[in-house]
Amino acid sequence: MAAANLFRQNSDLKGQSQRKDGFSAKGEAFKEMKIETDFQKKTIMSTIDDISVTMAAEHRLTDYHFLSIQRCHLCNQFLWGVRQQSYQCQTCGLCCHQKCSSVGNLPKCDASRKARVRRFSSISGTEFGLPLEELFQLTDTLTAPYIVIQCTTELEKRTREAGDNLFEAYHRPSSAEEINRLRSTLSSDGIIEDHSLKSFDAPCIASTLKRFLRELPKLVITDDLYAEVIEASKIQDDEAATNVLCDQVQKLPAHHRATVTYLLQHLCHVCQLQEEYNHSDPLFKISHAFCHILMRPSWENIGDLVGNTEYHVRVIELLLKSKVYGEKLPDSFYVPVNQPQKPCKASSREQLRSSYQHPTTPSAASNSVSPVPSNRIEDQTWYWGDISREEVNERMHDAPDGTFMVRNASSKIKDNYTLTLRQNGTNKLIKILHEDGKFGFALPLTFRSIVELVLYYQHHSMAQYNRSLDTILRHPLCRNIKNSENPSRNQISDLHRDYLRKQHIYSALTDEHLTISQELQLKHLALEELKELVIVVDEQLRLYRDYQAQVEGQGLHNSRVAETIKTLNFRLETVVEKKEALEADLKERASVSRDFVAKMNLLKPELASLQKEIELLNKCLLEKSETHLDHFEAVEVLDSAQRKSSFSGHDVEKTWLVTCNRSEAEDLLIGQPDGTFLIRPSSDPSSFALSISVREEVVHCKIERRDTGFGFSEPFCTHRTLPDLVRHYKNKSLVEHNEMLDVSLKYPVFQKKFTPT
């Protein structure tokens, strides 16, 4: 009786009893029971050992973490706590308090009773939320939980049979209803029958797998190693960073290390299948899908999730490329893992702002973004001077909506002008009013010049003036230089300088926009993870509140439930606070991104117009040379203008756009200086190929065509046309896409052939 009473009141003695000196730790307990001699103490501890051995022989009791509130099978009271609330027998599913298990009158262990005895969690899928150590016994043939093995095997099988794009499957979300339905098919030991997966699509299986990994009590890469892993990812050298990361993985508990290895092997299989079935998605797409699934900061530091997202991505990519986990990525995926791009220097941004002045229109002048090279209307390409209405209609025939031009009014009165705007397939004539040096479409007149008026409506809708004209002045109609006065020697040079100045501004805007786009992409990943965490914590909180209501309805109260609810409330408030702050930041940064896009869109037609005007001037000058200038003098003028403005073959497509195959491209480029290049059709009809000479070799790169434009990979497909891409990489190295290509597009292969002589 003494042994039983002591054991009931001090359940932690069960662990002490395995040591011969276990009784010494409880000297105070023995003293209270007036048991003083060593013989009595040893006799009591021997009795306790007998009880423990008997229990261990019948049941395999382990600490257990329940996903919802349960009742003890012995005393029928609730099991309280957030984690490891009680014991559970791994053989028969018996659930009980630690105190109740110590009494010794447990029912006989019977594995056949497991389905009846165990009270399943109210969250479908009984294996969700369990520690990895309890999910599987690590062997040579079993290196991950059954759920992980079954889901990944099914996904790979579907790709081999039907060519599914698993990058898309892991990225595309599935409905909560479908995920819960799949979870409900899980048996108590986590094994999924093969036929039960056939009714679920690949995104649902992938989403359920991610939910399973996300709900582990300790993520696959445990939070106690999180700081060391992040620091390793910040090492600049890829090889050194990979070595440190692999060392950190070796420090993980055995079950976690095995699961990490299995998942990395699976992701390598996915990449191999992508290559085999010609899915051209980049590696970062799959690393984005898993960057917050395998690792996450502790709840106390959950805010670090936002700033560390870029390092999460790098960790996944470096581990996949390490080649130490039994699988190898396809060669096409071995491009450098870029460090996050540094923001533009302050001096560069100030230079950009100073070179890109804003017009000062009365309303929303700060939103205007187009440069103002000159306020003289005669200098504008969209001003046609004295031209008849009939000729305007002829020139604007079949022009796209938004095309516009300005001409002198038919009245021939000074400072009277007419705007012609193409809208809904017809030409709209709009009178420009003028009074006391001010211009506008309606009173009061607020613009100080025609140029200010046009610049304002290039990015503000004309609906402010007329509701039926809900468009902006999008495409200026360039006047025909050939029919104007004879071009001077300096005209072409001035136009080239203006063109290159705006092209420089456009390139700077493109770089800024690319940096912001990458930043937004990473923050959206963090936001999606925070939203998932809100769902998980809110579900746990709802369950505890429901059970608290049931307990209080029976006139009972338990302080541990209240404490648990308080803890979950704090977690939920923290995550929601971080989520809302990130949403506000994303909204602000998205607005900045839209501003850059607006500026770029305004510059595009101006660049096109200037380029067209330069071509017309060149043509006009050569034609005039037959009668007004000596031919060689005309060529000298052209060459001089081109030299002054750094004109090159990059602006002429036929110097680098060549119709040839891979071997013919190599014949053209072999032996040429580094940076000599051409662009040719690819074997994929929807894309092109870049062939470039580097270190006496010819390297070939795929140029992808996406909805956002041309580029070598996402998110760099931002160039509207191939000439835009060529101009961008004229002075910018390709090393950010491939470490073997530290070279720019220097020399078009046929530049000399088409240079004027």
Side-chain angles (χ1 to χ4, degrees):
M1 288 181 63
N5 288 336
L6 182 64
F7 197 80
R8 183 185 299 114
Q9 300 300 326
N10 298 277
S11 59
D12 53 342
L13 272 177
K14 185 174 68 173
Q16 297 276 355
S17 67
Q18 303 304 318
R19 306 200 324 257
K20 291 182 179 180
D21 61 340
F23 67 92
S24 63
K26 294 298 175 182
E28 293 296 325
F30 285 124
K31 191 176 296 185
E32 291 177 3
M33 301 180 68
K34 298 182 181 180
I35 299 174
E36 299 176 354
T37 67
D38 288 346
F39 173 80
Q40 291 173 326
K41 294 177 182 178
K42 290 181 179 180
T43 301
I44 290 171
M45 295 309 299
S46 176
T47 306
I48 292 173
D49 285 340
D50 290 340
I51 296 173
S52 301
V53 170
T54 301
M55 290 171 49
E58 293 182 350
H59 292 277
R60 293 195 302 126
L61 296 176
T62 60
D63 291 333
Y64 194 78
H65 168 71
F66 291 97
L67 297 177
S68 63
I69 297 178
Q70 309 284 346
R71 289 182 183 270
C72 175
H73 290 148
L74 300 180
C75 69
N76 204 34
Q77 298 298 314
F78 286 113
L79 306 174
W80 309 116
V82 179
R83 295 181 60 184
Q84 297 179 342
Q85 301 97 327
S86 70
Y87 288 151
Q88 183 182 69
C89 177
Q90 298 303 295
T91 302
C92 70
L94 176 76
C95 304
C96 61
H97 293 104
Q98 295 174 351
K99 179 177 65 175
C100 295
S101 69
S102 66
V103 176
N105 59 345
L106 300 179
K108 184 178 179 180
C109 184
D110 183 0
S112 64
R113 299 171 62 249
K114 185 171 185 178
R116 301 193 306 274
V117 171
R118 179 167 176 183
R119 292 186 174 95
F120 295 108
S121 167
S122 60
I123 300 178
S124 302
T126 59
E127 301 302 308
F128 284 69
L130 298 184
L132 284 174
E133 291 79 4
E134 297 181 20
L135 287 169
F136 68 104
Q137 293 182 355
L138 186 59
T139 65
D140 292 339
T141 57
L142 185 60
T143 58
Y146 286 112
I147 293 177
V148 174
I149 294 174
Q150 295 277 339
C151 289
T152 54
T153 302
E154 177 67 20
L155 289 171
E156 292 178 23
K157 177 183 176 183
R158 292 194 181 189
T159 300
R160 292 188 177 95
E161 292 178 351
D164 288 0
N165 187 330
L166 291 187
F167 277 30
E168 288 293 334
Y170 275 118
H171 257 274
R172 195 189 317 162
S174 185
S175 67
E177 180 181 358
E178 284 296 298
I179 294 175
N180 289 332
R181 190 166 69 88
L182 176 54
R183 290 174 65 166
S184 68
T185 65
L186 304 178
S187 62
S188 59
D189 59 359
I191 300 177
I192 309 173
E193 300 295 337
D194 291 340
H195 64 82
S196 64
L197 286 174
K198 293 182 180 179
S199 61
F200 300 96
D201 59 14
C204 178
I205 299 173
S207 297
T208 304
L209 173 62
K210 291 193 295 182
R211 178 68 63 85
F212 171 81
L213 295 171
R214 183 180 281 113
E215 292 186 7
L216 290 172
K218 288 187 177 181
L219 293 195
V220 180
I221 298 178
T222 55
D223 55 15
D224 57 332
L225 291 177
Y226 179 80
E228 289 80 359
V229 170
I230 292 298
E231 287 302 316
S233 70
K234 295 179 180 179
I235 299 175
Q236 297 288 331
D237 182 70
D238 285 355
E239 184 176 355
T242 301
N243 292 335
V244 177
L245 285 173
C246 291
D247 291 341
Q248 294 298 329
V249 171
Q250 292 303 311
K251 296 179 182 179
L252 291 171
H255 287 73
H256 290 256
R257 184 169 62 251
T259 305
V260 166
T261 301
Y262 180 88
L263 288 170
L264 290 174
Q265 290 173 347
H266 164 65
L267 295 181
C268 286
H269 293 162
V270 170
C271 294
Q272 292 165 5
L273 291 170
Q274 292 290 107
E275 179 88 355
E276 182 179 346
Y277 288 90
N278 296 321
H279 298 305
S280 58
D281 300 287
L283 181 61
F284 72 80
K285 192 166 185 176
I286 196 67
S287 59
H288 282 186
F290 277 85
C291 67
H292 294 308
I293 302 298
L294 301 185
M295 57 187 295
R296 187 174 65 224
S298 63
W299 285 104
E300 293 77 12
N301 302 306
I302 197 65
D304 295 343
L305 188 74
V306 179
N308 289 341
T309 297
E310 54 201 352
Y311 301 114
H312 286 220
V313 174
R314 190 164 191 254
V315 166
I316 303 300
E317 295 191 5
L318 287 175
L319 289 176
L320 285 174
K321 295 176 181 179
S322 63
K323 304 180 184 178
V324 299
Y325 296 104
E327 295 292 341
K328 180 179 178 295
L329 290 176
D331 293 338
S332 59
F333 287 94
Y334 282 95
V335 294
V337 182
N338 293 325
Q339 287 287 332
Q341 288 195 3
K342 297 180 179 179
C344 293
K345 297 180 180 179
S347 58
S348 301
R349 291 186 177 183
E350 291 171 3
Q351 181 181 3
L352 176 63
R353 281 194 287 268
S354 64
S355 64
Y356 201 81
Q357 298 296 328
H358 292 217
T360 55
T361 53
S363 58
S366 61
N367 291 329
S368 302
V369 291
S370 188
V372 187
S374 171
N375 267 335
R376 295 180 66 247
I377 190 173
E378 292 82 4
D379 296 333
Q380 310 308 315
T381 59
W382 39 258
Y383 173 65
W384 285 67
D386 291 325
I387 184 174
S388 66
R389 178 175 176 177
E390 291 73 19
E391 190 174 356
V392 170
N393 290 336
E394 180 182 349
R395 293 184 179 279
M396 295 189 72
H397 182 65
D398 292 334
D401 284 356
T403 303
F404 73 96
M405 55 86 68
V406 175
R407 61 182 176 88
N408 294 335
S410 302
S411 62
K412 305 297 183 181
I413 300 176
K414 184 181 179 181
D415 291 334
N416 279 14
Y417 302 94
T418 299
L419 171 72
T420 304
L421 174 64
R422 190 76 172 176
Q423 174 73 353
N424 297 328
T426 60
N427 296 334
K428 309 293 184 181
L429 302 182
I430 305 171
K431 182 178 180 181
I432 301 177
L433 304 180
H434 172 249
E435 184 177 319
D436 297 332
K438 296 295 182 71
F439 297 86
F441 297 124
L443 297 175
L445 308 180
T446 55
F447 297 95
R448 293 175 297 180
S449 68
I450 299 292
V451 175
E452 276 191 12
L453 181 146
V454 170
L455 288 173
Y456 177 79
Y457 284 105
Q458 278 185 312
H459 53 89
H460 291 80
S461 175
M462 291 285 290
Q464 297 180 20
Y465 154 70
N466 187 327
R467 292 182 180 179
S468 64
L469 298 176
D470 189 11
T471 184
I472 62 173
L473 305 182
R474 194 178 305 275
H475 309 295
L477 182 67
C478 180
R479 65 181 181 271
N480 192 339
I481 303 297
K482 181 178 178 180
N483 293 334
S484 63
E485 299 176 357
N486 293 336
S488 67
R489 292 174 178 267
N490 294 325
Q491 269 185 291
I492 298 178
S493 181
D494 291 341
L495 283 173
H496 274 300
R497 278 195 294 269
D498 193 24
Y499 176 82
L500 291 175
R501 180 180 65 83
K502 291 183 179 180
Q503 189 183 62
H504 173 72
I505 296 172
Y506 183 83
S507 296
L509 289 171
T510 302
D511 291 342
E512 284 273 3
H513 177 253
L514 180 60
T515 301
I516 294 176
S517 297
Q518 293 173 333
E519 176 189 342
L520 289 175
Q521 191 175 36
L522 292 172
K523 288 186 175 181
H524 274 295
L525 284 176
L527 180 61
E528 290 304 315
E529 180 62 19
L530 290 176
K531 288 179 178 179
E532 288 290 337
L533 291 179
V534 169
I535 293 173
V536 171
V537 179
D538 189 58
E539 177 69 13
Q540 293 176 349
L541 188 57
R542 183 185 63 80
L543 290 170
Y544 272 90
R545 283 174 175 166
D546 289 347
Y547 278 96
Q548 184 185 43
Q550 295 178 21
V551 172
E552 292 176 349
Q554 299 175 7
L556 302 175
H557 176 74
N558 192 294
S559 59
R560 295 181 66 181
V561 174
E563 187 65 28
T564 300
I565 292 177
K566 182 179 178 181
T567 301
L568 291 174
N569 264 322
F570 175 75
R571 288 182 179 179
L572 182 62
E573 290 172 1
T574 302
V575 177
V576 169
E577 180 184 353
K578 298 297 181 182
K579 180 178 77 72
E580 291 176 348
L582 182 55
E583 286 174 337
D585 181 54
L586 278 171
K587 185 176 180 180
E588 180 182 349
R589 299 299 290 167
S591 176
V592 174
S593 177
R594 288 193 295 270
D595 287 344
F596 277 108
V597 172
K599 295 175 183 179
M600 292 159 60
N601 288 339
L602 283 176
L603 277 176
K604 285 179 183 178
E606 292 185 25
L607 288 170
S609 177
L610 281 171
Q611 190 171 15
K612 184 176 180 180
E613 190 169 354
I614 290 169
E615 292 173 357
L616 289 171
L617 273 174
N618 288 340
K619 183 178 179 181
C620 180
L621 186 58
L622 286 174
E623 289 179 355
K624 294 294 183 182
S625 67
E626 296 178 1
T627 55
H628 294 81
L629 294 172
D630 179 79
H631 177 72
F632 293 102
E633 184 180 2
V635 171
E636 182 181 352
V637 172
L638 282 174
D639 288 343
S640 175
Q642 290 171 356
R643 286 194 300 272
K644 289 179 181 178
S645 59
S646 303
F647 183 78
S648 70
H650 294 75
D651 300 306
V652 183
E653 284 190 23
K654 57 187 177 182
T655 63
W656 46 261
L657 187 58
V658 183
T659 302
C660 64
N661 57 32
R662 184 187 182 104
S663 60
E664 291 171 342
E666 292 175 348
D667 291 339
L668 288 171
L669 294 173
I670 197 70
Q672 296 294 329
D674 285 2
T676 306
F677 73 97
L678 63 85
I679 293 178
R680 57 183 175 81
S682 172
S683 56
D684 180 359
S686 63
S687 60
F688 289 86
L690 168 70
S691 300
I692 186 168
S693 176
V694 183
R695 293 189 292 273
E696 300 182 356
E697 294 183 358
V698 178
V699 179
H700 307 275
C701 304
K702 184 178 180 180
I703 300 176
E704 298 182 1
R705 177 189 293 173
R706 299 296 179 90
D707 294 339
T708 54
F710 292 90
F712 294 105
S713 64
E714 290 287 358
F716 300 97
C717 298
T718 58
H719 306 284
R720 186 173 60 90
T721 63
L722 282 175
D724 288 342
L725 181 143
V726 169
R727 284 189 287 267
H728 178 76
Y729 288 102
K730 174 182 176 182
N731 299 310
K732 188 179 180 76
S733 175
L734 297 170
V735 71
E736 65 179 353
H737 303 292
N738 190 321
E739 59 185 357
M740 304 298 294
L741 294 180
D742 190 9
V743 67
S744 61
L745 306 184
K746 291 182 180 179
Y747 313 113
V749 65
F750 291 135
Q751 180 171 352
K752 294 181 179 180
K753 178 178 179 180
F754 292 100
T755 299
T757 59

